[in-house]
């Protein structure tokens, strides 16, 4: 039952992410909009429309995945293709909701349920960031800044959960320094060539979110590993050059999700192997 509810919520929030990301991009790039256009594009209040013909969409055009499949990936009104990213984002969000529930490492007491609910909000924010970064090579402040605020809220919930103020706060600070500090130095040294400013701001929230120096280093390790593995086939086919920009955000986000859910267990297994 819980799983079915999570799938339904995941699909709906994935659909929300799709609309939100497109509207945010329209708002950020088209500076000269009338107040009425701004209202129509409001990520929270405007009605959904086709990105090509701007036709308002009916409820049966907005069913996650189902509408895209039944329309054959084309707009009902103008026939132009609707990107495959739409159903993929919806399915991925639902998949991450279910995976987080099935492998949740922090139990389901009331305070842990608060932590889990907050985690689902993070997942929605992460999906929006990844979708935006893949399409437009940018991590917008309007998504990153609220997530930094939520990361601080998450530290407070963890304190309530563990009762360990000193340990939780020092862990969050060490995490902040380990990944945020390193990325900040890389950004400054390279003048923004190795690392985008958005990646640095995202790293500032990842440290407190995963909550320890060791786990922050693990995020860097997994993100670099994933980035290398995914770029290698492209580099081999010479379809990208070594100094082309590849958005790093999606790798950083994937690594953060892995470490948040499984990092503690990986550390335990690793240190036991050493003893
Ligand atoms: Zn259309």
């Amino acid at each position: 039952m819980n799983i079915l509810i999570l799938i339904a919520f995941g699909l709906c929030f994935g659909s929300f992410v799709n609309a939100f990301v497109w509207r945010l991009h329209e708002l950020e790039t088209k500076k000269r909009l009338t107040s009425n256009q701004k209202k129509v594009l409001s990520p929270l209040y405007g009605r959904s429309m086709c990105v090509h013909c701007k036709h308002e969409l009916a409820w049966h055009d907005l069913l996650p995945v189902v509408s895209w499949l039944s329309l054959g990936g084309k707009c009902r009104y103008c026939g132009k293709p609707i990107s495959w990213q739409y159903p993929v984002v919806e399915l991925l969000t639902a998949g991450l909701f279910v995976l987080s529930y099935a492998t949740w490492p922090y139990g389901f007491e009331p305070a842990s349920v608060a932590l889990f609910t907050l985690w689902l909000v993070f997942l929605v924010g992460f999906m929006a960031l990844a979708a935006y970064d893949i399409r437009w090579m940018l991590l917008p402040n309007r998504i990153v800044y609220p997530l930094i605020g939520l990361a601080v809220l998450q530290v407070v919930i963890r304190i309530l959960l563990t009762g360990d103020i000193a340990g939780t706060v020092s862990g969050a600070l060490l995490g902040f320094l380990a990944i945020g500090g390193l990325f900040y130095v890389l950004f400054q040294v390279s003048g923004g060539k190795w690392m985008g400013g958005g990646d640095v701001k995202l790293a500032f929230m990842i440290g407190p979110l995963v909550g320890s120096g060791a786990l922050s280093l693990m995020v860097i390790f997994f993100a670099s590993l994933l980035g290398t593995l995914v770029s290698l086939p492209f580099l081999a086919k010479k379809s990208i050059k070594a100094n082309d920009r590849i958005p790093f955000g999606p790798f950083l986000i994937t690594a953060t999700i892995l470490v948040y859910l499984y990092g503690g267990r990986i550390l335990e297994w690793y240190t036991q192997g050493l003893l």
Side-chain angles (χ1 to χ4, degrees):
M1 187 62 199
N2 286 342
I3 299 231
L4 288 180
I5 294 171
L6 282 170
I7 292 176
F9 268 110
L11 290 172
C12 292
F13 277 109
S15 177
F16 166 77
V17 164
N18 284 324
F20 177 80
V21 162
W22 178 75
R23 287 163 191 219
L24 187 63
H25 182 252
E26 292 278 300
L27 284 174
E28 301 250 300
T29 49
K30 292 181 186 151
K31 295 288 176 208
R32 263 178 253 151
L33 291 170
T34 63
S35 63
N36 192 42
Q37 280 172 310
K38 276 190 188 153
K39 210 187 282 169
V40 171
L41 282 171
S42 157
L44 295 178
Y45 304 110
R47 295 291 304 271
S48 290
M49 60 180 122
C50 166
V51 300
H52 304 293
C53 63
K54 311 283 191 276
H55 194 293
E56 207 169 271
L57 300 179
W59 66 269
H60 56 263
D61 300 322
L62 293 168
L63 297 173
V65 186
V66 177
S67 294
W68 189 85
L69 286 177
S70 71
L71 292 168
K74 290 192 181 95
C75 170
R76 185 193 303 280
Y77 308 98
C78 67
K80 293 228 174 89
I82 308 166
S83 167
W84 53 267
Q85 279 188 12
Y86 285 79
V88 167
V89 166
E90 287 157 359
L91 287 173
L92 253 173
T93 311
L96 285 171
F97 276 25
V98 171
L99 184 73
S100 298
Y101 177 74
T103 59
W104 183 244
Y106 308 106
F108 284 104
E109 298 91 56
S112 318
V113 171
L115 201 63
F116 180 72
T117 311
L118 187 59
W119 172 245
L120 298 185
V121 180
F122 274 109
L123 287 177
V124 173
F126 285 161
M127 288 305 297
L129 279 179
Y132 203 103
D133 203 20
I134 288 173
R135 271 160 95 178
W136 296 297
M137 302 280 269
L138 192 82
L139 297 167
N141 289 340
R142 285 202 218 195
I143 309 177
V144 176
Y145 287 162
L147 287 181
I148 294 178
L150 288 178
V152 175
L153 175 64
Q154 193 251 184
V155 172
V156 174
I157 297 180
R158 273 194 198 239
I159 291 173
L160 295 177
L161 196 64
T162 58
D164 179 7
I165 299 178
T168 310
V169 171
S170 63
L173 281 177
L174 276 175
F176 174 82
L177 288 175
I179 185 166
L182 178 74
F183 278 28
Y184 183 72
V185 169
L186 286 176
F187 176 75
Q188 290 295 344
V189 168
S190 70
K193 271 190 205 131
W194 301 336
M195 185 72 44
D199 296 320
V200 178
K201 288 175 210 153
L202 184 61
F204 283 152
M205 65 93 9
I206 290 174
L209 176 66
V210 296
S212 89
L215 293 177
S216 294
L217 295 177
M218 199 190 284
V219 171
I220 300 175
F221 171 74
F222 278 134
S224 317
L225 185 69
L226 286 168
T228 311
L229 287 177
V230 172
S231 325
L232 276 180
F234 292 105
L235 285 172
K237 274 198 279 170
K238 300 219 165 79
S239 57
I240 52 170
K241 290 183 217 89
N243 52 1
D244 271 354
R245 265 202 70 197
I246 300 167
F248 191 54
F251 301 117
L252 209 47
I253 285 163
T254 311
T256 303
I257 295 171
L258 282 175
V259 169
Y260 190 87
L261 292 175
Y262 311 112
R265 279 171 266 189
I266 295 172
L267 269 188
E268 221 169 83
W269 166 78
Y270 187 72
T271 45
Q272 272 171 1
L274 287 181
L275 290 173

